[in-house]
Amino acid sequence: MTKNDKEQENLSNWKKSFEKETKKSDAEDFYFSTDEEIDIKPLYTKEDLNNLSFVEPNSLPGSSPFTRGPKASMYTNRPWTIRQYAGFSTAEESNTFYKKNLESGQKGLSVAFDLPTHRGYDSDDELVKGDVGKAGVAIDTVEDMKILFKDIPLDQMSVSMTMNGAVLPILASFIVAGEEQHVGRELLSGTIQNDILKEFMVRNTYIYPPEPSMKIVADIIEFTSREMPKFNSISISGYHMQEAGADNVLELAYTLADGIEYVRAALSKGLDIDEFAPRLSFFFAIGTDFFMEIAKLRAARTLWSKIMKDFGAKKEKSLILRTHCQTSGVSLTEKDPYNNIVRTSYEALSAILGGTQSLHTNSFDEAIALPTDESARIARNTQLILQNETGVTKTVDPLAGSFFIEKLTDEISKKSWDLIEEIESLGGMTKAVKAGIPKLKIEESATKKQAKVDSGDRVVVGVNKFKNPKEPKIDVRVIDNDKVREDQINKINKVKSIRDENLVNESLLKLTNAAKENKNLLEYTIEAMKHRATVGEASKALEEVFGRHFATSLSVSGVYGKHFDKNEDFKNVSKKIDSFGKKHGRRPRVLVVKMGQDGHDRGAKIVATSFADLGFDVDMGPLFQTPKDVAKDAIENDVHAIGVSTLAAGHKTLIPELIDNLKNIDPKSKIIVFVGGIIPEQDYEFLYNNNISAIFGPGSNIIESAEKVIELIIKKNN
């Protein structure tokens, strides 16, 4: 008997034993199809390593195609960098938080900015009064940036900044703050996210249309390549795609397709690929599918190495995909929130086994509010335990050679490559984004995921199975939005009172002209911020030339409903909706909206599409509406209910304003208002006292929510 015959006999015996133990006639009955439509088998053998398309099982860490890691010594010489995002209300508070974290073992700083800053509005703008300091730190001028980094040596500390829309004034303010700290721009290290293409797909913190936005990216790559050798000019983000509902194939493919577009933008500036490529970095989310996430990171490095070779890169460093990861925000639940600590621990381990170079662990309370100091400590300690107690840093890529991992890496590589080729056939990601194709595919994926949770096909412990009968009370971070905004306005007024207005106006005019003349915009923005122009003023100077982008809202249909063909709860809710329609001569009409500058529209889109599948007439409001806009639209369109989606903590400001506007326009209005999203339970009473009819937190079942809404509509219209 040959060795091969013996192996086949062993495999046959295993199959017989498996079928006997499981009482199934075929092991294939246990195949599991993932969200990515990859079939997972109950057993993998070395035969699965035959005929792989992308993976070279004998490759080594630190060598092309870098499947096993970007560095030969991965973690044995130096562990991954621990990063925790911070950005809470004011620069002063965030600065204090940074210092505490650095004292506790954190190695790099990561800054989250508030939504008005992202969207290029100053804190005194009436459009943003409910958003200031809510989901990050408010930055209006260089003075705020100087406070943010007070007593933090910027020549020694790596700083990562998540910024897209107002990237020019923010990066310029960082450079000026460094210089006024006596740290030259050539000594500044870190990353600016600057991945604008994904904003048009998912998060929507854009300002300008796609083409001028890409020009800004190219300008930043050009400037930093020339003047800031230690600074990474872009972090290309798949994280926000997964947050919006993308499966791992979509996240990987679209992130790399974005990367291809940015490489082209840099090449269009005449830059040498081997000069700028080593300073491109990537940012991925790590969800709960443990092995898939490991395979995704390995596949990302493998594919990027191929892509860069195809672009003609010659240096090994140019072929390396450098990555930062963050444990998933969308996997966090409001219900039974201490489970989130377990989730993020497994997700962190997955990122490490996949070979990330830096990591942010989400806090267990982030599905409810911004993290407290205590929850941030737990999140940071998750990584410190992994680094110091588990032994995971002792061996480079310990899962290499696993039949399952190698095969899975190849599978996700193949599927992602097919999608990348599809984007390329459309003319690249900028054109695909303008056509709205990636956005729709991500929204379809999000709706499928929600349907699986609501139908019970996917278990979420503590949410749809193994529920905790007594939900724990947890402390949450509370931010006084009115006080923060007042303080920011005072600081803006102080800066304006002492600056030289002529110099400011002159520098802003130069910036506008630079946009008209296709000059490097970062150079001129630095000058404007140095003279103490505000973020809003610099953004408007460019808006004069580029305009402001307004997205067209499209939605998928039928995706949610098809998962509930035999579901009695789904049918019962649909019957109630139909019955209302017959009695009143029209279907119950719901307006689903976002208010303020919060562009995270995953929840709103899922509610809109699923409610439509249940039988509601659904209108989807445009992004960035004011409460007055929403009230006017609702009354003009004669809706029965308004569903407000909120993820950026503006609910205590914007929702009462909406209620007041409804009363002012039509005192006899029967419109009910319900709200969903990240809302601390401590705020429920406040909202109910302000005439909110229902509140649905993260993890809420859509069918149960819809039933509550139709019952409220029926009661109001009897």
Side-chain angles (χ1 to χ4, degrees), residues 538-608:
S539 300
K540 282 176 183 170
L542 295 172
E543 196 178 329
E544 285 186 31
V545 181
F546 299 147
R548 188 172 273 270
H549 180 71
F550 295 96
T552 306
S553 193
L554 303 170
S555 59
V556 296
S557 61
V559 172
Y560 186 88
K562 74 179 183 182
H563 288 266
F564 296 92
D565 289 343
K566 297 176 182 177
N567 186 286
E568 288 303 315
D569 291 335
F570 186 96
K571 289 178 182 176
N572 289 335
V573 176
S574 291
K575 283 177 185 173
K576 286 183 182 180
I577 294 167
D578 287 342
S579 175
F580 180 93
K582 287 170 183 172
K583 182 178 178 180
H584 294 271
R586 64 185 183 112
R587 290 180 175 276
R589 193 174 188 94
V590 178
L591 173 63
V592 178
V593 300
K594 301 288 296 183
M595 291 193 292
Q597 298 306 304
D598 175 15
H600 298 75
D601 59 353
R602 170 191 174 139
K605 287 291 183 67
I606 288 174
V607 169

Side-chain angles (χ1 to χ4, degrees), residues 231-527:
F231 195 83
N232 294 327
S233 49
I234 189 168
S235 173
I236 304 156
S237 174
Y239 177 87
H240 299 97
M241 298 181 199
Q242 190 180 117
E243 289 290 274
D247 60 48
N248 281 278
V249 166
L250 288 170
E251 180 192 3
L252 177 55
Y254 289 164
T255 305
L256 297 185
D258 279 1
I260 291 169
E261 200 80 336
Y262 296 130
V263 169
R264 289 196 181 111
L267 292 173
S268 73
K269 289 284 187 176
L271 298 174
D272 182 273
I273 193 164
D274 287 309
E275 289 301 313
F276 69 83
R279 293 193 297 122
L280 303 176
S281 64
F282 290 79
F283 175 30
F284 291 104
I286 304 295
T288 54
D289 192 340
F290 188 79
F291 294 110
M292 187 69 76
E293 295 290 358
I294 295 167
K296 178 181 76 182
L297 295 185
R298 301 174 93 246
R301 291 190 294 273
T302 307
L303 294 179
W304 189 247
S305 179
K306 171 179 167 54
I307 288 165
M308 296 309 286
K309 279 181 180 174
D310 290 346
F311 269 111
K314 295 180 176 59
K315 294 180 181 176
E316 261 304 84
K317 283 185 176 179
S318 302
L319 310 179
I320 299 172
L321 180 142
R322 295 154 187 83
T323 191
H324 168 67
C325 291
Q326 181 175 337
T327 61
S328 171
V330 78
S331 68
L332 303 177
T333 64
E334 181 194 37
K335 292 181 170 55
D336 214 355
Y338 285 99
N339 288 341
N340 295 329
I341 298 173
V342 181
R343 291 188 183 100
T344 56
S345 298
Y346 283 125
E347 289 169 351
L349 180 58
S350 188
I352 290 151
L353 293 174
T356 190
Q357 289 164 278
S358 68
L359 180 61
H360 165 79
T361 342
N362 279 327
S363 305
F364 79 91
D365 55 354
E366 280 182 271
I368 304 165
L370 291 168
T372 60
D373 288 350
E374 180 64 13
S375 63
R377 187 188 69 83
I378 293 168
R380 185 169 55 253
N381 284 353
T382 299
Q383 294 193 52
L384 290 170
I385 290 166
L386 285 168
Q387 284 190 355
N388 294 281
E389 295 186 24
T390 62
V392 294
T393 62
K394 306 302 183 189
T395 301
V396 184
D397 192 22
L399 292 187
S402 156
F403 304 136
F404 178 41
I405 287 293
E406 300 293 6
K407 179 66 173 177
L408 193 56
T409 302
D410 198 67
E411 290 272 3
I412 194 170
S413 296
K414 281 193 290 191
K415 280 188 167 288
S416 297
W417 191 253
D418 288 344
L419 267 181
I420 291 168
E421 289 189 319
E422 179 184 274
I423 294 297
E424 288 295 285
S425 72
L426 296 168
M429 191 50 103
T430 305
K431 289 183 178 176
V433 161
K434 283 187 74 176
I437 295 167
K439 189 175 183 70
L440 274 176
K441 283 196 176 183
I442 291 170
E443 286 169 5
E444 183 178 0
S445 173
T447 306
K448 282 180 182 174
K449 286 184 180 182
Q450 185 65 43
K452 285 180 180 179
V453 172
D454 288 351
S455 64
D457 289 344
R458 170 177 291 161
V459 172
V460 183
V461 174
V463 174
N464 64 357
K465 204 169 182 179
F466 314 112
K467 296 180 183 180
N468 189 347
K470 189 178 178 183
E471 289 290 331
K473 297 280 185 186
I474 64 171
D475 291 328
V476 298
R477 183 180 290 274
V478 177
I479 290 171
D480 185 342
N481 166 247
D482 292 332
K483 177 67 168 62
V484 173
R485 186 166 183 257
E486 184 185 329
D487 289 346
Q488 287 300 122
I489 292 172
N490 288 337
K491 286 194 280 186
I492 291 171
N493 291 337
K494 185 179 176 182
V495 168
K496 286 184 176 180
S497 71
I498 58 176
R499 70 185 187 179
D500 187 323
E501 290 295 326
N502 289 329
L503 285 175
V504 173
N505 292 332
E506 195 178 295
S507 62
L508 290 170
L509 182 60
K510 284 182 181 176
L511 180 57
T512 300
N513 289 334
K516 291 175 182 175
E517 296 163 11
N518 201 30
K519 294 178 179 177
N520 190 294
L521 297 175
L522 183 53
E523 292 179 13
Y524 290 90
T525 311
I526 290 170
E527 183 183 346

Side-chain angles (χ1 to χ4, degrees), residues 83-138:
R83 293 189 184 275
Q84 293 300 119
Y85 285 105
F88 307 120
S89 67
T90 64
E92 290 88 348
E93 191 177 346
S94 298
N95 177 260
T96 302
F97 188 81
Y98 289 155
K99 289 172 183 173
K100 285 181 184 174
N101 287 0
L102 293 171
E103 288 167 7
S104 303
Q106 193 170 310
K107 301 299 184 186
L109 295 178
S110 295
V111 189
F113 299 97
D114 74 352
L115 290 167
T117 304
H118 271 284
R119 294 267 296 145
Y121 294 110
D122 290 331
S123 299
D124 59 0
D125 196 305
E126 283 297 304
L127 287 173
V128 302
K129 60 184 181 182
D131 298 298
V132 177
K134 280 295 192 180
V137 62

